[in-house]
Amino acid sequence: MVNMTHTRETTAGQQEMLAVRYRRRYRLCQVLTILGVIFLFALGSFSLIDGAQVLGCILILNALVGLANLYLLKRTGNVERAATILSGILFFLSMSLIITGGKSNTGILWVYPIVAINLFINRFWPAVCWFGLFNVASILLLFTPLSVLLMTSYSIVEAVRFILTMLALNSICLAALRSEEQAYQTIMQLHADDIRQMAYYDTLTGLPNRWSFKTNLERLLARAKKDKQRIGLLYIDLDNFKQVNDQYGHEAGDRLLFKFSERLWEAIRPTDQLLKPQTESLARLAGDEFVVLLPNIKEPLDTSTVATRILNIFDGGFEVDGVTHMIYASIGISVYPDDATDPAKLLHHADAAMYDAKHNGRNCFRFFTQKIADTLHQRQQIEKGLRQALREEHFSLVYMPIFDCKNNTIVAVEVLLRCQSPELEGLGPDQFIPIAESTGIIKDIDLWVIDNALRALVILRKEHLFEGKICINISGVELLNERFPSHVKNLLEQHKVPPQNVELEVTETAFVADDVTCLETLNALNELGVSLALDDFGTGYTAFNQLIHYPADCLKIDRSFVNDLFSEREARNKMVMIIQNLAKLYDLRVIAEGVETEAQMAYLRENGCDWAQGYYLSRPLPWNDLLKRLSA
Ligand code: C2E
Ligand code: CA
Ligand code: CA
């Protein structure tokens, strides 16, 4: 995309050059013709008054043709034709001056400046033609029997002098034109180089960009295949780079990237004969992502020397403009042909290894392994299954009743997603939702769930006189999705359900403190009239004083705390009580999740918990079982 724009811009630059050149020639044609017309009329009139009838008529005639040329040029803007006509006039005029001899035989002197004018308006090759034609014609007139056409006579010395001067003048003119033409070609070439530079190189660091990296990689792999060589690919991603950008501004971020690219270059420079990096060994793929190619390595492990040198760049912080930034690198390594033989796969595998490095505490390097390959494959399968599930309606919902602790009645139902795709066999939402989130499919899934949950609610209300809430899990991704509230609004209107009977559950860990978009989304949802629950409460990092800023209605105590109610560990067995007290303080409803024993239920009831759910009370139920349970 970026490259495309650059190319387009520079082509525009070249067009601009052509336009400047056109305007210059247009002006010259115009000015020279106007001057010529004025002089020809003046001299023509004088000649007529002076009695030189033939010369006078010729000059006036040329002036008239010049006027016509001016008119044509103005109307059509065709500079090429105007130049040709002007050259024609100049040619005809010169010939006439030779033939008539001009006033008192001075005609031949006028021919020199007239011929030189051709320099200004012509390009090299048309000028060669005109000058050649003129010289041939004058030689024929001066030295052959055609001289009978001459109205005046020239001595042989005069004629030879004229022709020699003419040849010298023409050579000078042509040399000047030639050099101008070459200068122009050079500038055009420089423009073309600029395009190349911008299309293939990253403007910030001067390194090859993603596009040229791909070409380099393909070429290198083809060569490696022929020579039976190994190639190492290092995929580098900076850690904490975003913070530098956020805290010190994009310019500081840019300088950091530039400096890093220099240090990177030093780090891979051949200190040993083993590795011989060339310019194409380095590239910046995007933002803070770089790649290094190590051609002709003996063992995959050889790459680790370079990887270590790159990590060492960040030892003791990375200094830019006197500020030391705590940034690091995560590096993924894949090796040709061991890990992949296809360029795209090789890059993809190094990328996957880089993610593995990130998950393993960052600031380290990881090789692509079979385990990473398996995870990658499984993720791809799940992604495929999820897309198929959306297309072919392989999703379904189960319903988990939520009970009022005081009187054991069902006050709400949480809908939970299930997927019957063959690729997802045996996988629960815990496994496939994170993948749906990382690929963006979650947005469609969430809407599918809300749509079907609201449809269920309509039936429950109408046919089973259910007055409670339907609780719908939504992904944390939606908090950054500005269009989500309006989607929910549309679905609420479409199903005509009272919003106060709908509760949206968002896991607490999805909350980003002080994030504007996040808070705006929550407020927009709140304004729709639906209630909001903080799911898995206690596992996130919500500072207690932040609770007041969230338009939340309910805290769902994470089931691990209910599970630990009677555990020996004090820090955990008090959590249920702490959350309950907190909820009381902020006037929030509390739901305890994962109630599995009678003892847990008794504790919650005695300690004033509002609602509860869990296997002890009811498992998640298919639709028909829910209906039976409700009517029981
Ligand atoms: P969650 O929102 O905390 O849902 C409760 C999970 O705990 C459900 O697992 C439920 O079956 C399980 N559970 C409930 N009571 C008990 C109990 O007493 N003991 C035990 N051991 N487990 C219990 P499930 O259905 O596998 O859902 C897992 C997570 O997947 C959910 O956690 C939720 O975060 C996500 N999820 C489920 N359905 C959806 C959905 O429709 N959309 C989105 N975005 N996420 C969903
Ligand atoms: Ca939930
Ligand atoms: Ca939960």
Side-chain angles (χ1 to χ4, degrees):
M1 192 62 208
V2 170
N3 297 333
M4 291 289 293
T5 343
H6 277 315
T7 317
R8 229 178 278 138
E9 262 169 27
T10 331
T11 313
Q14 279 186 319
Q15 273 166 4
E16 182 61 23
M17 259 199 67
L18 287 173
V20 168
R21 206 176 189 215
Y22 166 84
R23 281 199 296 272
R24 188 182 142 258
R25 290 189 75 209
Y26 183 97
R27 276 259 163 268
L28 269 172
C29 268
Q30 205 179 29
V31 170
L32 288 175
T33 318
I34 291 173
L35 286 177
V37 165
I38 294 172
F39 273 103
L40 288 172
F41 267 125
L43 291 173
S45 315
F46 276 130
S47 301
L48 286 179
I49 294 166
D50 220 20
Q53 304 294 331
V54 181
L55 184 65
C57 289
I58 289 172
L59 294 179
I60 299 276
L61 180 73
N62 275 308
L64 290 174
V65 178
L67 268 183
N69 194 26
L70 262 183
Y71 171 74
L72 264 180
L73 177 65
K74 179 119 193 112
R75 244 192 68 172
T76 63
N78 189 336
V79 173
E80 233 36 81
R81 188 179 55 199
T84 311
I85 295 178
L86 195 55
S87 291
I89 297 176
L90 295 172
F91 176 83
F92 183 71
L93 202 58
S94 309
M95 292 317 326
S96 316
L97 285 167
I98 294 176
I99 293 170
T100 59
K103 179 93 173 80
S104 354
N105 257 5
T106 52
I108 216 155
L109 292 178
W110 283 96
V111 173
Y112 302 126
I114 289 174
V115 166
I117 290 175
N118 253 328
L119 170 77
F120 296 107
I121 50 159
N122 266 313
R123 304 245 182 108
F124 181 72
W125 286 112
V128 169
C129 295
W130 281 117
F131 291 170
L133 190 65
F134 177 78
N135 284 322
V136 170
S138 11
I139 289 171
L140 289 179
L141 274 177
L142 292 173
F143 302 108
T144 66
L146 278 178
S147 53
V148 292
L149 292 173
L150 295 174
M151 293 164 66
T152 177
S153 65
Y154 301 95
S155 72
I156 193 80
V157 178
E158 264 178 329
V160 169
R161 194 189 289 145
F162 171 73
I163 287 298
L164 286 179
T165 317
M166 212 59 231
L167 285 175
L169 180 66
N170 286 355
S171 310
I172 294 166
C173 287
L174 289 178
L177 274 178
R178 186 90 194 132
S179 95
E180 196 215 72
E181 195 83 6
Q182 273 167 352
Y184 172 77
Q185 292 299 341
T186 312
I187 292 173
M188 288 304 261
Q189 184 57 42
L190 286 177
H191 261 299
D193 287 351
D194 265 1
I195 302 175
R196 232 184 71 79
Q197 178 71 24
M198 286 199 248
Y200 296 106
Y201 293 87
D202 165 41
T203 37
L204 176 64
T205 60
L207 295 178
N209 60 18
R210 177 181 283 274
W211 169 246
S212 60
F213 170 74
K214 272 189 184 155
T215 331
N216 287 341
L217 183 62
E218 274 165 25
R219 209 183 41 228
L220 226 63
L221 290 196
R223 206 191 301 153
K225 188 176 173 191
K226 220 170 63 214
D227 304 345
K228 299 215 173 356
Q229 288 176 345
R230 270 214 170 88
I231 293 178
L233 196 163
L234 274 60
Y235 201 117
I236 307 162
D237 187 283
L238 301 187
D239 305 324
N240 299 345
F241 176 69
K242 193 179 171 305
Q243 275 95 311
V244 176
N245 255 346
D246 290 348
Q247 220 174 330
Y248 296 92
H250 284 264
E251 273 176 28
D254 282 356
R255 278 197 295 280
L256 190 151
L257 290 176
F258 178 71
K259 198 163 170 197
F260 172 66
S261 73
E262 285 184 330
R263 303 283 302 275
L264 188 60
W265 182 238
E266 283 164 25
I268 68 157
R269 221 162 22 202
T271 43
D272 31 47
Q273 284 305 307
L274 234 187
L275 314 165
K276 286 203 194 107
Q278 302 126 4
T279 350
E280 67 248 38
S281 309
L282 257 182
R284 178 176 173 226
L285 295 192
D288 57 353
E289 289 172 26
F290 295 81
V291 277
V292 173
L293 281 174
L294 301 173
N296 201 11
I297 49 168
K298 292 234 157 53
E299 290 299 320
L301 266 180
D302 292 343
T303 52
S304 58
T305 331
V306 178
T308 312
R309 277 211 294 268
I310 295 172
L311 292 179
N312 286 345
I313 294 178
F314 300 102
D315 269 358
F318 192 87
E319 203 204 284
V320 185
D321 304 335
V323 183
T324 305
H325 300 284
M326 285 302 144
I327 62 160
Y328 310 97
S330 297
I331 306 176
I333 306 173
S334 64
V335 177
Y336 170 92
D338 309 58
D339 298 327
T341 49
D342 168 71
K345 270 214 182 104
L346 193 67
L347 185 66
H348 190 48
H349 286 177
D351 186 20
M354 186 274 289
Y355 269 96
D356 195 47
K358 273 218 190 292
H359 284 295
N360 279 287
R362 308 170 152 206
N363 194 22
C364 60
F365 62 84
R366 282 281 182 278
F367 283 93
F368 183 72
T369 58
Q370 192 52 46
K371 199 174 142 234
I372 298 176
D374 293 344
T375 322
L376 209 63
H377 180 73
Q378 198 197 7
R379 280 181 68 94
Q380 280 162 352
Q381 287 301 105
I382 293 178
E383 196 187 327
K384 200 172 119 201
L386 288 173
R387 292 192 195 279
Q388 188 189 13
L390 268 178
R391 272 198 315 270
E392 298 171 17
E393 291 277 322
H394 286 168
F395 283 125
S396 63
L397 295 176
V398 289
Y399 303 82
M400 187 160 204
I402 300 176
F403 295 80
D404 188 325
C405 291
K406 283 196 239 40
N407 53 21
N408 245 5
T409 53
I410 297 177
V411 280
V413 175
E414 178 177 5
V415 293
L416 296 165
L417 186 62
R418 297 292 177 263
C419 181
Q420 280 82 39
S421 273
E423 275 89 0
L424 273 76
E425 200 170 338
L427 297 183
D430 271 339
Q431 280 113 335
F432 66 73
I433 294 281
I435 293 169
E437 285 178 335
S438 69
T439 52
I441 311 172
I442 191 67
K443 293 187 182 174
D444 290 326
I445 297 180
D446 276 345
L447 293 181
W448 184 93
V449 173
I450 298 174
D451 187 26
N452 285 274
L454 295 185
R455 190 167 298 143
L457 179 65
V458 170
I459 300 173
L460 289 180
R461 285 174 60 81
K462 219 189 245 159
E463 296 174 16
H464 304 273
L465 305 175
F466 177 70
E467 290 289 315
K469 281 182 189 285
I470 195 102
C471 302
I472 307 170
N473 292 289
I474 59 162
S475 158
V477 168
E478 307 296 2
L479 297 185
L480 300 173
N481 176 7
E482 282 160 8
R483 287 170 40 205
F484 182 66
S486 68
H487 285 314
V488 175
K489 183 170 182 250
N490 290 343
L491 287 170
L492 286 171
E493 284 168 0
Q494 198 180 313
H495 291 285
K496 298 192 186 66
V497 289
Q500 63 272 20
N501 287 70
V502 178
E503 181 150 283
L504 298 180
E505 300 185 4
V506 194
T507 182
E508 188 209 358
T509 48
F511 283 66
V512 191
D514 305 329
D515 188 289
V516 185
T517 322
C518 183
L519 206 62
E520 273 174 8
T521 312
L522 288 173
N523 283 326
L525 289 172
N526 187 48
E527 272 167 28
L528 296 179
V530 300
S531 55
L532 291 169
L534 300 192
D535 209 349
D536 311 323
F537 196 79
T539 58
Y541 312 97
T542 314
F544 288 163
N545 59 5
Q546 275 170 6
L547 265 182
I548 201 155
H549 298 304
Y550 296 144
D553 305 272
C554 167
L555 302 183
K556 284 191 93 164
I557 305 176
D558 189 65
R559 72 166 187 270
S560 63
F561 301 122
V562 176
N563 200 35
D564 284 348
L565 255 182
F566 307 112
S567 99
E568 305 284 286
R569 292 151 67 200
E570 282 239 352
R572 295 197 58 92
N573 65 27
K574 293 224 162 47
M575 273 304 276
V576 173
M577 203 175 66
I578 293 171
I579 296 174
Q580 274 192 320
N581 287 338
L582 189 70
K584 215 173 275 166
L585 194 66
Y586 289 103
D587 199 19
L588 302 170
R589 181 164 26 89
V590 178
I591 306 181
E593 283 191 301
V595 182
E596 292 186 347
T597 65
E598 196 179 344
Q600 289 166 348
M601 191 59 212
Y603 175 94
L604 292 167
R605 197 179 293 124
E606 276 156 35
N607 285 278
C609 178
D610 298 306
W611 297 356
Q613 65 181 112
Y615 290 176
Y616 170 71
L617 298 161
S618 167
R619 293 242 163 199
L621 304 170
W623 176 246
N624 289 330
D625 292 359
L626 173 75
L627 297 186
K628 269 184 227 148
R629 181 82 198 226
L630 278 176
S631 47

